[in-house]
Amino acid sequence: QVQLMESGGGLVQAGGSLRLSCAASGSIFSINVMGWYRQAPGKQRELVASITSGGSTNYADSVKGRFTISRDNAKNTVYLQLNSLKPENTAVYYCQLVLIRLDVEYWGQGTQVTVST
């Protein structure tokens, strides 16, 4: 089976930065999409950013220019660099892996990001 291990969440002041990491282990197909979703208190889970195994990225409009998604295919790891953080970015951030060939998805346990004013 596939497991996703997330790290990097924590408490940061507004304007600060944080880097989230998500390492996938198990039977990982080379053709995949990895991404980050977030769920703020009282809100629905939303896509923050995604990146394909080929390097194509997609971002939510609200984070463009501030957040950067990247991946290391050799390590099966995806990163999310969060810059210029705002209190409204406070949420649980979830890592997602989609295996295209199998049409299955996996989720990490989530990591809390809290941005103070």
Side-chain angles (χ1 to χ4, degrees):
Q1 65 268 38
V2 172
Q3 289 185 306
L4 302 178
M5 182 174 289
E6 298 166 316
S7 62
L11 175 64
V12 65
Q13 290 184 282
S17 298
L18 214 56
R19 190 177 79 150
L20 308 182
S21 299
C22 174
S25 62
S27 299
I28 311 300
F29 282 74
S30 58
I31 302 176
N32 60 70
V33 179
M34 299 189 76
W36 292 94
Y37 285 71
R38 68 186 177 193
Q39 187 165 26
K43 300 188 68 177
Q44 293 182 305
R45 188 174 300 189
E46 64 175 351
L47 175 68
V48 177
S50 64
I51 184 167
T52 69
S53 48
S56 297
T57 59
N58 184 53
Y59 295 92
D61 288 340
S62 62
V63 306
K64 287 180 179 176
R66 297 190 299 116
F67 293 4
T68 303
I69 190 169
S70 61
R71 63 185 294 163
D72 185 336
N73 289 335
K75 297 180 179 179
N76 290 319
T77 300
V78 64
Y79 307 92
L80 185 67
Q81 180 68 41
L82 302 84
N83 294 329
S84 302
L85 282 163
K86 305 173 182 179
E88 55 262 41
N89 299 145
T90 294
V92 177
Y93 285 70
Y94 297 90
C95 177
Q96 182 203 48
L97 167 67
V98 179
L99 303 181
I100 301 301
R101 288 205 225 254
L102 296 177
D103 191 27
V104 297
E105 65 181 41
Y106 298 89
W107 292 89
Q109 76 285 352
T111 184
Q112 177 70 47
V113 171
T114 302
V115 184
S116 66
T117 57

PDB file of all heavy atoms in Angstrom, residues 6 20 35-49 60 62-63 67 80 82 87-95 107-115:
ATOM      1  N   GLU A   6       3.630  13.505   5.981  1.00  0.00           N
ATOM      2  CA  GLU A   6       3.724  14.951   5.888  1.00  0.00           C
ATOM      3  C   GLU A   6       4.522  15.515   7.044  1.00  0.00           C
ATOM      4  O   GLU A   6       4.535  14.960   8.149  1.00  0.00           O
ATOM      5  CB  GLU A   6       2.325  15.572   5.878  1.00  0.00           C
ATOM      6  CG  GLU A   6       1.479  15.132   4.694  1.00  0.00           C
ATOM      7  CD  GLU A   6       0.026  15.470   4.876  1.00  0.00           C
ATOM      8  OE1 GLU A   6      -0.498  15.244   5.988  1.00  0.00           O
ATOM      9  OE2 GLU A   6      -0.587  15.961   3.913  1.00  0.00           O
ATOM     10  N   LEU A  20       6.177  22.872   3.622  1.00  0.00           N
ATOM     11  CA  LEU A  20       5.572  21.588   3.885  1.00  0.00           C
ATOM     12  C   LEU A  20       6.189  20.530   2.986  1.00  0.00           C
ATOM     13  O   LEU A  20       6.503  20.796   1.822  1.00  0.00           O
ATOM     14  CB  LEU A  20       4.060  21.631   3.645  1.00  0.00           C
ATOM     15  CG  LEU A  20       3.274  22.746   4.338  1.00  0.00           C
ATOM     16  CD1 LEU A  20       1.790  22.603   4.026  1.00  0.00           C
ATOM     17  CD2 LEU A  20       3.522  22.742   5.834  1.00  0.00           C
ATOM     18  N   GLY A  35      -0.429  16.770  -4.882  1.00  0.00           N
ATOM     19  CA  GLY A  35      -0.935  18.094  -4.614  1.00  0.00           C
ATOM     20  C   GLY A  35      -1.195  18.343  -3.147  1.00  0.00           C
ATOM     21  O   GLY A  35      -1.034  17.463  -2.305  1.00  0.00           O
ATOM     22  N   TRP A  36      -1.579  19.572  -2.884  1.00  0.00           N
ATOM     23  CA  TRP A  36      -1.913  20.006  -1.538  1.00  0.00           C
ATOM     24  C   TRP A  36      -3.304  20.596  -1.522  1.00  0.00           C
ATOM     25  O   TRP A  36      -3.647  21.425  -2.370  1.00  0.00           O
ATOM     26  CB  TRP A  36      -0.916  21.055  -1.031  1.00  0.00           C
ATOM     27  CG  TRP A  36       0.457  20.515  -0.796  1.00  0.00           C
ATOM     28  CD1 TRP A  36       1.504  20.514  -1.663  1.00  0.00           C
ATOM     29  CD2 TRP A  36       0.929  19.899   0.405  1.00  0.00           C
ATOM     30  NE1 TRP A  36       2.601  19.934  -1.087  1.00  0.00           N
ATOM     31  CE2 TRP A  36       2.276  19.545   0.191  1.00  0.00           C
ATOM     32  CE3 TRP A  36       0.343  19.610   1.636  1.00  0.00           C
ATOM     33  CZ2 TRP A  36       3.054  18.920   1.166  1.00  0.00           C
ATOM     34  CZ3 TRP A  36       1.114  18.987   2.609  1.00  0.00           C
ATOM     35  CH2 TRP A  36       2.448  18.657   2.361  1.00  0.00           C
ATOM     36  N   TYR A  37      -4.082  20.139  -0.588  1.00  0.00           N
ATOM     37  CA  TYR A  37      -5.388  20.704  -0.300  1.00  0.00           C
ATOM     38  C   TYR A  37      -5.346  21.293   1.101  1.00  0.00           C
ATOM     39  O   TYR A  37      -4.469  20.968   1.901  1.00  0.00           O
ATOM     40  CB  TYR A  37      -6.477  19.639  -0.366  1.00  0.00           C
ATOM     41  CG  TYR A  37      -6.875  19.209  -1.768  1.00  0.00           C
ATOM     42  CD1 TYR A  37      -6.027  18.447  -2.556  1.00  0.00           C
ATOM     43  CD2 TYR A  37      -8.120  19.555  -2.288  1.00  0.00           C
ATOM     44  CE1 TYR A  37      -6.394  18.050  -3.829  1.00  0.00           C
ATOM     45  CE2 TYR A  37      -8.502  19.158  -3.560  1.00  0.00           C
ATOM     46  CZ  TYR A  37      -7.633  18.403  -4.322  1.00  0.00           C
ATOM     47  OH  TYR A  37      -8.014  18.008  -5.586  1.00  0.00           O
ATOM     48  N   ARG A  38      -6.287  22.141   1.394  1.00  0.00           N
ATOM     49  CA  ARG A  38      -6.380  22.665   2.745  1.00  0.00           C
ATOM     50  C   ARG A  38      -7.840  22.787   3.148  1.00  0.00           C
ATOM     51  O   ARG A  38      -8.727  22.942   2.306  1.00  0.00           O
ATOM     52  CB  ARG A  38      -5.685  24.019   2.880  1.00  0.00           C
ATOM     53  CG  ARG A  38      -6.360  25.157   2.135  1.00  0.00           C
ATOM     54  CD  ARG A  38      -5.531  26.426   2.213  1.00  0.00           C
ATOM     55  NE  ARG A  38      -6.124  27.503   1.450  1.00  0.00           N
ATOM     56  CZ  ARG A  38      -5.498  28.633   1.138  1.00  0.00           C
ATOM     57  NH1 ARG A  38      -4.239  28.825   1.538  1.00  0.00           N
ATOM     58  NH2 ARG A  38      -6.125  29.568   0.438  1.00  0.00           N
ATOM     59  N   GLN A  39      -8.050  22.710   4.433  1.00  0.00           N
ATOM     60  CA  GLN A  39      -9.381  22.862   4.979  1.00  0.00           C
ATOM     61  C   GLN A  39      -9.300  23.750   6.207  1.00  0.00           C
ATOM     62  O   GLN A  39      -8.705  23.376   7.219  1.00  0.00           O
ATOM     63  CB  GLN A  39     -10.004  21.512   5.337  1.00  0.00           C
ATOM     64  CG  GLN A  39     -11.457  21.605   5.753  1.00  0.00           C
ATOM     65  CD  GLN A  39     -12.148  20.254   5.741  1.00  0.00           C
ATOM     66  OE1 GLN A  39     -11.503  19.212   5.900  1.00  0.00           O
ATOM     67  NE2 GLN A  39     -13.451  20.261   5.537  1.00  0.00           N
ATOM     68  N   ALA A  40      -9.872  24.923   6.088  1.00  0.00           N
ATOM     69  CA  ALA A  40      -9.923  25.865   7.195  1.00  0.00           C
ATOM     70  C   ALA A  40     -11.146  25.568   8.046  1.00  0.00           C
ATOM     71  O   ALA A  40     -12.114  24.959   7.574  1.00  0.00           O
ATOM     72  CB  ALA A  40      -9.965  27.291   6.668  1.00  0.00           C
ATOM     73  N   PRO A  41     -11.122  26.004   9.295  1.00  0.00           N
ATOM     74  CA  PRO A  41     -12.281  25.777  10.170  1.00  0.00           C
ATOM     75  C   PRO A  41     -13.564  26.318   9.559  1.00  0.00           C
ATOM     76  O   PRO A  41     -13.622  27.472   9.138  1.00  0.00           O
ATOM     77  CB  PRO A  41     -11.910  26.533  11.444  1.00  0.00           C
ATOM     78  CG  PRO A  41     -10.418  26.544  11.453  1.00  0.00           C
ATOM     79  CD  PRO A  41     -10.032  26.687  10.009  1.00  0.00           C
ATOM     80  N   GLY A  42     -14.572  25.478   9.499  1.00  0.00           N
ATOM     81  CA  GLY A  42     -15.860  25.885   8.976  1.00  0.00           C
ATOM     82  C   GLY A  42     -15.944  25.996   7.473  1.00  0.00           C
ATOM     83  O   GLY A  42     -16.973  26.445   6.953  1.00  0.00           O
ATOM     84  N   LYS A  43     -14.905  25.606   6.766  1.00  0.00           N
ATOM     85  CA  LYS A  43     -14.902  25.705   5.313  1.00  0.00           C
ATOM     86  C   LYS A  43     -14.655  24.340   4.678  1.00  0.00           C
ATOM     87  O   LYS A  43     -14.203  23.400   5.321  1.00  0.00           O
ATOM     88  CB  LYS A  43     -13.835  26.691   4.837  1.00  0.00           C
ATOM     89  CG  LYS A  43     -14.007  28.100   5.356  1.00  0.00           C
ATOM     90  CD  LYS A  43     -13.037  29.063   4.702  1.00  0.00           C
ATOM     91  CE  LYS A  43     -13.346  29.255   3.232  1.00  0.00           C
ATOM     92  NZ  LYS A  43     -12.440  30.267   2.602  1.00  0.00           N
ATOM     93  N   GLN A  44     -14.967  24.257   3.397  1.00  0.00           N
ATOM     94  CA  GLN A  44     -14.744  23.027   2.654  1.00  0.00           C
ATOM     95  C   GLN A  44     -13.276  22.885   2.273  1.00  0.00           C
ATOM     96  O   GLN A  44     -12.539  23.864   2.187  1.00  0.00           O
ATOM     97  CB  GLN A  44     -15.606  23.007   1.388  1.00  0.00           C
ATOM     98  CG  GLN A  44     -17.097  22.910   1.640  1.00  0.00           C
ATOM     99  CD  GLN A  44     -17.886  22.839   0.355  1.00  0.00           C
ATOM    100  OE1 GLN A  44     -17.759  23.705  -0.510  1.00  0.00           O
ATOM    101  NE2 GLN A  44     -18.698  21.798   0.218  1.00  0.00           N
ATOM    102  N   ARG A  45     -12.877  21.649   2.045  1.00  0.00           N
ATOM    103  CA  ARG A  45     -11.527  21.396   1.590  1.00  0.00           C
ATOM    104  C   ARG A  45     -11.363  21.930   0.166  1.00  0.00           C
ATOM    105  O   ARG A  45     -12.230  21.737  -0.689  1.00  0.00           O
ATOM    106  CB  ARG A  45     -11.232  19.903   1.640  1.00  0.00           C
ATOM    107  CG  ARG A  45      -9.776  19.553   1.371  1.00  0.00           C
ATOM    108  CD  ARG A  45      -9.496  18.074   1.576  1.00  0.00           C
ATOM    109  NE  ARG A  45      -9.786  17.641   2.935  1.00  0.00           N
ATOM    110  CZ  ARG A  45      -9.477  16.452   3.424  1.00  0.00           C
ATOM    111  NH1 ARG A  45      -8.846  15.567   2.655  1.00  0.00           N
ATOM    112  NH2 ARG A  45      -9.790  16.135   4.666  1.00  0.00           N
ATOM    113  N   GLU A  46     -10.254  22.592  -0.077  1.00  0.00           N
ATOM    114  CA  GLU A  46     -10.014  23.177  -1.380  1.00  0.00           C
ATOM    115  C   GLU A  46      -8.609  22.870  -1.865  1.00  0.00           C
ATOM    116  O   GLU A  46      -7.680  22.708  -1.076  1.00  0.00           O
ATOM    117  CB  GLU A  46     -10.215  24.699  -1.339  1.00  0.00           C
ATOM    118  CG  GLU A  46      -9.234  25.427  -0.436  1.00  0.00           C
ATOM    119  CD  GLU A  46      -9.366  26.934  -0.486  1.00  0.00           C
ATOM    120  OE1 GLU A  46     -10.106  27.448  -1.345  1.00  0.00           O
ATOM    121  OE2 GLU A  46      -8.718  27.614   0.345  1.00  0.00           O
ATOM    122  N   LEU A  47      -8.476  22.818  -3.169  1.00  0.00           N
ATOM    123  CA  LEU A  47      -7.173  22.597  -3.775  1.00  0.00           C
ATOM    124  C   LEU A  47      -6.320  23.850  -3.628  1.00  0.00           C
ATOM    125  O   LEU A  47      -6.758  24.954  -3.945  1.00  0.00           O
ATOM    126  CB  LEU A  47      -7.328  22.251  -5.255  1.00  0.00           C
ATOM    127  CG  LEU A  47      -6.027  22.116  -6.058  1.00  0.00           C
ATOM    128  CD1 LEU A  47      -5.231  20.901  -5.602  1.00  0.00           C
ATOM    129  CD2 LEU A  47      -6.325  22.022  -7.550  1.00  0.00           C
ATOM    130  N   VAL A  48      -5.095  23.659  -3.171  1.00  0.00           N
ATOM    131  CA  VAL A  48      -4.138  24.748  -3.065  1.00  0.00           C
ATOM    132  C   VAL A  48      -3.211  24.753  -4.276  1.00  0.00           C
ATOM    133  O   VAL A  48      -3.031  25.776  -4.938  1.00  0.00           O
ATOM    134  CB  VAL A  48      -3.314  24.646  -1.770  1.00  0.00           C
ATOM    135  CG1 VAL A  48      -2.269  25.759  -1.710  1.00  0.00           C
ATOM    136  CG2 VAL A  48      -4.228  24.698  -0.555  1.00  0.00           C
ATOM    137  N   ALA A  49      -2.621  23.611  -4.554  1.00  0.00           N
ATOM    138  CA  ALA A  49      -1.699  23.493  -5.676  1.00  0.00           C
ATOM    139  C   ALA A  49      -1.501  22.030  -6.006  1.00  0.00           C
ATOM    140  O   ALA A  49      -1.645  21.167  -5.140  1.00  0.00           O
ATOM    141  CB  ALA A  49      -0.350  24.149  -5.355  1.00  0.00           C
ATOM    142  N   ALA A  60      -4.284  27.549  -6.854  1.00  0.00           N
ATOM    143  CA  ALA A  60      -5.455  28.348  -6.562  1.00  0.00           C
ATOM    144  C   ALA A  60      -5.096  29.818  -6.749  1.00  0.00           C
ATOM    145  O   ALA A  60      -3.973  30.237  -6.445  1.00  0.00           O
ATOM    146  CB  ALA A  60      -5.932  28.098  -5.135  1.00  0.00           C
ATOM    147  N   SER A  62      -5.804  32.351  -5.105  1.00  0.00           N
ATOM    148  CA  SER A  62      -5.500  33.045  -3.869  1.00  0.00           C
ATOM    149  C   SER A  62      -4.058  32.883  -3.406  1.00  0.00           C
ATOM    150  O   SER A  62      -3.598  33.648  -2.561  1.00  0.00           O
ATOM    151  CB  SER A  62      -6.445  32.582  -2.755  1.00  0.00           C
ATOM    152  OG  SER A  62      -6.285  31.202  -2.497  1.00  0.00           O
ATOM    153  N   VAL A  63      -3.348  31.897  -3.943  1.00  0.00           N
ATOM    154  CA  VAL A  63      -1.985  31.646  -3.484  1.00  0.00           C
ATOM    155  C   VAL A  63      -0.942  31.896  -4.561  1.00  0.00           C
ATOM    156  O   VAL A  63       0.261  31.790  -4.287  1.00  0.00           O
ATOM    157  CB  VAL A  63      -1.822  30.214  -2.931  1.00  0.00           C
ATOM    158  CG1 VAL A  63      -2.853  29.936  -1.854  1.00  0.00           C
ATOM    159  CG2 VAL A  63      -1.913  29.186  -4.052  1.00  0.00           C
ATOM    160  N   PHE A  67       2.768  31.010  -2.903  1.00  0.00           N
ATOM    161  CA  PHE A  67       3.064  29.608  -2.640  1.00  0.00           C
ATOM    162  C   PHE A  67       3.710  28.983  -3.866  1.00  0.00           C
ATOM    163  O   PHE A  67       3.392  29.339  -5.002  1.00  0.00           O
ATOM    164  CB  PHE A  67       1.794  28.821  -2.311  1.00  0.00           C
ATOM    165  CG  PHE A  67       1.114  29.194  -1.017  1.00  0.00           C
ATOM    166  CD1 PHE A  67       1.574  30.244  -0.236  1.00  0.00           C
ATOM    167  CD2 PHE A  67       0.014  28.477  -0.590  1.00  0.00           C
ATOM    168  CE1 PHE A  67       0.947  30.581   0.955  1.00  0.00           C
ATOM    169  CE2 PHE A  67      -0.626  28.801   0.594  1.00  0.00           C
ATOM    170  CZ  PHE A  67      -0.165  29.846   1.369  1.00  0.00           C
ATOM    171  N   LEU A  80       5.605  22.158  -0.556  1.00  0.00           N
ATOM    172  CA  LEU A  80       4.838  23.378  -0.727  1.00  0.00           C
ATOM    173  C   LEU A  80       5.510  24.471   0.082  1.00  0.00           C
ATOM    174  O   LEU A  80       5.546  24.400   1.310  1.00  0.00           O
ATOM    175  CB  LEU A  80       3.384  23.209  -0.278  1.00  0.00           C
ATOM    176  CG  LEU A  80       2.475  24.411  -0.539  1.00  0.00           C
ATOM    177  CD1 LEU A  80       2.280  24.616  -2.044  1.00  0.00           C
ATOM    178  CD2 LEU A  80       1.118  24.231   0.141  1.00  0.00           C
ATOM    179  N   LEU A  82       5.350  28.031   1.422  1.00  0.00           N
ATOM    180  CA  LEU A  82       4.337  29.021   1.733  1.00  0.00           C
ATOM    181  C   LEU A  82       5.021  30.302   2.186  1.00  0.00           C
ATOM    182  O   LEU A  82       5.632  30.336   3.255  1.00  0.00           O
ATOM    183  CB  LEU A  82       3.382  28.535   2.824  1.00  0.00           C
ATOM    184  CG  LEU A  82       2.592  27.241   2.584  1.00  0.00           C
ATOM    185  CD1 LEU A  82       3.430  26.013   2.940  1.00  0.00           C
ATOM    186  CD2 LEU A  82       1.324  27.250   3.429  1.00  0.00           C
ATOM    187  N   PRO A  87      -3.215  35.285   7.942  1.00  0.00           N
ATOM    188  CA  PRO A  87      -4.053  34.543   8.887  1.00  0.00           C
ATOM    189  C   PRO A  87      -5.105  33.678   8.204  1.00  0.00           C
ATOM    190  O   PRO A  87      -5.421  32.595   8.702  1.00  0.00           O
ATOM    191  CB  PRO A  87      -4.697  35.653   9.723  1.00  0.00           C
ATOM    192  CG  PRO A  87      -3.700  36.756   9.694  1.00  0.00           C
ATOM    193  CD  PRO A  87      -3.123  36.717   8.304  1.00  0.00           C
ATOM    194  N   GLU A  88      -5.631  34.130   7.082  1.00  0.00           N
ATOM    195  CA  GLU A  88      -6.633  33.351   6.378  1.00  0.00           C
ATOM    196  C   GLU A  88      -6.081  32.085   5.748  1.00  0.00           C
ATOM    197  O   GLU A  88      -6.843  31.254   5.257  1.00  0.00           O
ATOM    198  CB  GLU A  88      -7.346  34.201   5.313  1.00  0.00           C
ATOM    199  CG  GLU A  88      -6.412  34.867   4.322  1.00  0.00           C
ATOM    200  CD  GLU A  88      -6.121  36.310   4.672  1.00  0.00           C
ATOM    201  OE1 GLU A  88      -5.927  36.600   5.871  1.00  0.00           O
ATOM    202  OE2 GLU A  88      -6.090  37.145   3.759  1.00  0.00           O
ATOM    203  N   ASN A  89      -4.765  31.929   5.757  1.00  0.00           N
ATOM    204  CA  ASN A  89      -4.155  30.701   5.273  1.00  0.00           C
ATOM    205  C   ASN A  89      -4.144  29.603   6.331  1.00  0.00           C
ATOM    206  O   ASN A  89      -3.732  28.476   6.049  1.00  0.00           O
ATOM    207  CB  ASN A  89      -2.724  30.947   4.800  1.00  0.00           C
ATOM    208  CG  ASN A  89      -2.626  31.927   3.645  1.00  0.00           C
ATOM    209  OD1 ASN A  89      -1.682  32.705   3.557  1.00  0.00           O
ATOM    210  ND2 ASN A  89      -3.590  31.889   2.744  1.00  0.00           N
ATOM    211  N   THR A  90      -4.570  29.937   7.520  1.00  0.00           N
ATOM    212  CA  THR A  90      -4.640  28.956   8.592  1.00  0.00           C
ATOM    213  C   THR A  90      -5.589  27.834   8.200  1.00  0.00           C
ATOM    214  O   THR A  90      -6.743  28.074   7.846  1.00  0.00           O
ATOM    215  CB  THR A  90      -5.107  29.609   9.895  1.00  0.00           C
ATOM    216  OG1 THR A  90      -4.120  30.537  10.339  1.00  0.00           O
ATOM    217  CG2 THR A  90      -5.331  28.561  10.977  1.00  0.00           C
ATOM    218  N   ALA A  91      -5.097  26.615   8.256  1.00  0.00           N
ATOM    219  CA  ALA A  91      -5.890  25.468   7.841  1.00  0.00           C
ATOM    220  C   ALA A  91      -5.097  24.202   8.105  1.00  0.00           C
ATOM    221  O   ALA A  91      -3.901  24.248   8.404  1.00  0.00           O
ATOM    222  CB  ALA A  91      -6.248  25.554   6.359  1.00  0.00           C
ATOM    223  N   VAL A  92      -5.777  23.088   7.974  1.00  0.00           N
ATOM    224  CA  VAL A  92      -5.090  21.812   7.913  1.00  0.00           C
ATOM    225  C   VAL A  92      -4.768  21.554   6.449  1.00  0.00           C
ATOM    226  O   VAL A  92      -5.657  21.593   5.596  1.00  0.00           O
ATOM    227  CB  VAL A  92      -5.942  20.664   8.483  1.00  0.00           C
ATOM    228  CG1 VAL A  92      -5.209  19.337   8.340  1.00  0.00           C
ATOM    229  CG2 VAL A  92      -6.279  20.934   9.947  1.00  0.00           C
ATOM    230  N   TYR A  93      -3.513  21.324   6.170  1.00  0.00           N
ATOM    231  CA  TYR A  93      -3.067  21.088   4.808  1.00  0.00           C
ATOM    232  C   TYR A  93      -2.863  19.595   4.596  1.00  0.00           C
ATOM    233  O   TYR A  93      -2.179  18.932   5.373  1.00  0.00           O
ATOM    234  CB  TYR A  93      -1.772  21.846   4.532  1.00  0.00           C
ATOM    235  CG  TYR A  93      -1.987  23.324   4.337  1.00  0.00           C
ATOM    236  CD1 TYR A  93      -2.355  24.140   5.401  1.00  0.00           C
ATOM    237  CD2 TYR A  93      -1.846  23.917   3.081  1.00  0.00           C
ATOM    238  CE1 TYR A  93      -2.581  25.496   5.223  1.00  0.00           C
ATOM    239  CE2 TYR A  93      -2.065  25.265   2.899  1.00  0.00           C
ATOM    240  CZ  TYR A  93      -2.432  26.059   3.962  1.00  0.00           C
ATOM    241  OH  TYR A  93      -2.649  27.402   3.779  1.00  0.00           O
ATOM    242  N   TYR A  94      -3.472  19.084   3.536  1.00  0.00           N
ATOM    243  CA  TYR A  94      -3.437  17.666   3.231  1.00  0.00           C
ATOM    244  C   TYR A  94      -2.679  17.400   1.944  1.00  0.00           C
ATOM    245  O   TYR A  94      -2.897  18.065   0.930  1.00  0.00           O
ATOM    246  CB  TYR A  94      -4.859  17.110   3.073  1.00  0.00           C
ATOM    247  CG  TYR A  94      -5.713  17.196   4.312  1.00  0.00           C
ATOM    248  CD1 TYR A  94      -6.503  18.306   4.550  1.00  0.00           C
ATOM    249  CD2 TYR A  94      -5.730  16.155   5.233  1.00  0.00           C
ATOM    250  CE1 TYR A  94      -7.293  18.387   5.680  1.00  0.00           C
ATOM    251  CE2 TYR A  94      -6.514  16.222   6.361  1.00  0.00           C
ATOM    252  CZ  TYR A  94      -7.300  17.342   6.582  1.00  0.00           C
ATOM    253  OH  TYR A  94      -8.089  17.415   7.706  1.00  0.00           O
ATOM    254  N   CYS A  95      -1.824  16.412   1.982  1.00  0.00           N
ATOM    255  CA  CYS A  95      -1.116  15.963   0.803  1.00  0.00           C
ATOM    256  C   CYS A  95      -1.959  14.922   0.073  1.00  0.00           C
ATOM    257  O   CYS A  95      -2.599  14.078   0.698  1.00  0.00           O
ATOM    258  CB  CYS A  95       0.227  15.361   1.215  1.00  0.00           C
ATOM    259  SG  CYS A  95       1.202  14.675  -0.136  1.00  0.00           S
ATOM    260  N   TRP A 107      -4.333   9.986   0.519  1.00  0.00           N
ATOM    261  CA  TRP A 107      -4.280  11.222   1.289  1.00  0.00           C
ATOM    262  C   TRP A 107      -3.387  11.078   2.494  1.00  0.00           C
ATOM    263  O   TRP A 107      -3.338  10.028   3.135  1.00  0.00           O
ATOM    264  CB  TRP A 107      -5.679  11.615   1.762  1.00  0.00           C
ATOM    265  CG  TRP A 107      -6.600  12.016   0.656  1.00  0.00           C
ATOM    266  CD1 TRP A 107      -7.414  11.211  -0.075  1.00  0.00           C
ATOM    267  CD2 TRP A 107      -6.810  13.343   0.164  1.00  0.00           C
ATOM    268  NE1 TRP A 107      -8.117  11.945  -1.000  1.00  0.00           N
ATOM    269  CE2 TRP A 107      -7.766  13.258  -0.873  1.00  0.00           C
ATOM    270  CE3 TRP A 107      -6.288  14.590   0.503  1.00  0.00           C
ATOM    271  CZ2 TRP A 107      -8.210  14.372  -1.579  1.00  0.00           C
ATOM    272  CZ3 TRP A 107      -6.727  15.700  -0.196  1.00  0.00           C
ATOM    273  CH2 TRP A 107      -7.676  15.585  -1.220  1.00  0.00           C
ATOM    274  N   GLY A 108      -2.699  12.147   2.804  1.00  0.00           N
ATOM    275  CA  GLY A 108      -1.954  12.202   4.043  1.00  0.00           C
ATOM    276  C   GLY A 108      -2.876  12.505   5.198  1.00  0.00           C
ATOM    277  O   GLY A 108      -4.072  12.758   5.023  1.00  0.00           O
ATOM    278  N   GLN A 109      -2.321  12.485   6.382  1.00  0.00           N
ATOM    279  CA  GLN A 109      -3.126  12.699   7.580  1.00  0.00           C
ATOM    280  C   GLN A 109      -3.439  14.171   7.830  1.00  0.00           C
ATOM    281  O   GLN A 109      -4.317  14.486   8.635  1.00  0.00           O
ATOM    282  CB  GLN A 109      -2.405  12.118   8.798  1.00  0.00           C
ATOM    283  CG  GLN A 109      -1.237  12.952   9.314  1.00  0.00           C
ATOM    284  CD  GLN A 109       0.013  12.857   8.458  1.00  0.00           C
ATOM    285  OE1 GLN A 109       0.092  12.045   7.530  1.00  0.00           O
ATOM    286  NE2 GLN A 109       0.992  13.696   8.759  1.00  0.00           N
ATOM    287  N   GLY A 110      -2.737  15.036   7.159  1.00  0.00           N
ATOM    288  CA  GLY A 110      -2.917  16.460   7.331  1.00  0.00           C
ATOM    289  C   GLY A 110      -1.922  17.039   8.308  1.00  0.00           C
ATOM    290  O   GLY A 110      -1.532  16.395   9.277  1.00  0.00           O
ATOM    291  N   THR A 111      -1.511  18.253   8.044  1.00  0.00           N
ATOM    292  CA  THR A 111      -0.611  18.961   8.943  1.00  0.00           C
ATOM    293  C   THR A 111      -1.158  20.367   9.171  1.00  0.00           C
ATOM    294  O   THR A 111      -1.577  21.042   8.237  1.00  0.00           O
ATOM    295  CB  THR A 111       0.828  19.001   8.384  1.00  0.00           C
ATOM    296  OG1 THR A 111       1.705  19.623   9.328  1.00  0.00           O
ATOM    297  CG2 THR A 111       0.905  19.746   7.061  1.00  0.00           C
ATOM    298  N   GLN A 112      -1.172  20.771  10.412  1.00  0.00           N
ATOM    299  CA  GLN A 112      -1.774  22.049  10.782  1.00  0.00           C
ATOM    300  C   GLN A 112      -0.828  23.203  10.490  1.00  0.00           C
ATOM    301  O   GLN A 112       0.331  23.192  10.897  1.00  0.00           O
ATOM    302  CB  GLN A 112      -2.141  22.050  12.267  1.00  0.00           C
ATOM    303  CG  GLN A 112      -2.721  23.373  12.772  1.00  0.00           C
ATOM    304  CD  GLN A 112      -4.105  23.649  12.242  1.00  0.00           C
ATOM    305  OE1 GLN A 112      -4.965  22.768  12.263  1.00  0.00           O
ATOM    306  NE2 GLN A 112      -4.326  24.868  11.753  1.00  0.00           N
ATOM    307  N   VAL A 113      -1.348  24.193   9.796  1.00  0.00           N
ATOM    308  CA  VAL A 113      -0.643  25.452   9.581  1.00  0.00           C
ATOM    309  C   VAL A 113      -1.459  26.547  10.246  1.00  0.00           C
ATOM    310  O   VAL A 113      -2.628  26.743   9.913  1.00  0.00           O
ATOM    311  CB  VAL A 113      -0.462  25.772   8.086  1.00  0.00           C
ATOM    312  CG1 VAL A 113       0.088  27.189   7.900  1.00  0.00           C
ATOM    313  CG2 VAL A 113       0.461  24.756   7.439  1.00  0.00           C
ATOM    314  N   THR A 114      -0.852  27.228  11.182  1.00  0.00           N
ATOM    315  CA  THR A 114      -1.525  28.302  11.889  1.00  0.00           C
ATOM    316  C   THR A 114      -0.739  29.587  11.713  1.00  0.00           C
ATOM    317  O   THR A 114       0.447  29.645  12.030  1.00  0.00           O
ATOM    318  CB  THR A 114      -1.664  27.981  13.386  1.00  0.00           C
ATOM    319  OG1 THR A 114      -2.383  26.756  13.556  1.00  0.00           O
ATOM    320  CG2 THR A 114      -2.407  29.102  14.107  1.00  0.00           C
ATOM    321  N   VAL A 115      -1.408  30.606  11.209  1.00  0.00           N
ATOM    322  CA  VAL A 115      -0.784  31.900  10.975  1.00  0.00           C
ATOM    323  C   VAL A 115      -1.395  32.903  11.939  1.00  0.00           C
ATOM    324  O   VAL A 115      -2.594  33.161  11.893  1.00  0.00           O
ATOM    325  CB  VAL A 115      -0.971  32.375   9.530  1.00  0.00           C
ATOM    326  CG1 VAL A 115      -0.213  33.681   9.309  1.00  0.00           C
ATOM    327  CG2 VAL A 115      -0.501  31.309   8.552  1.00  0.00           C
TER     328      VAL A 115
END
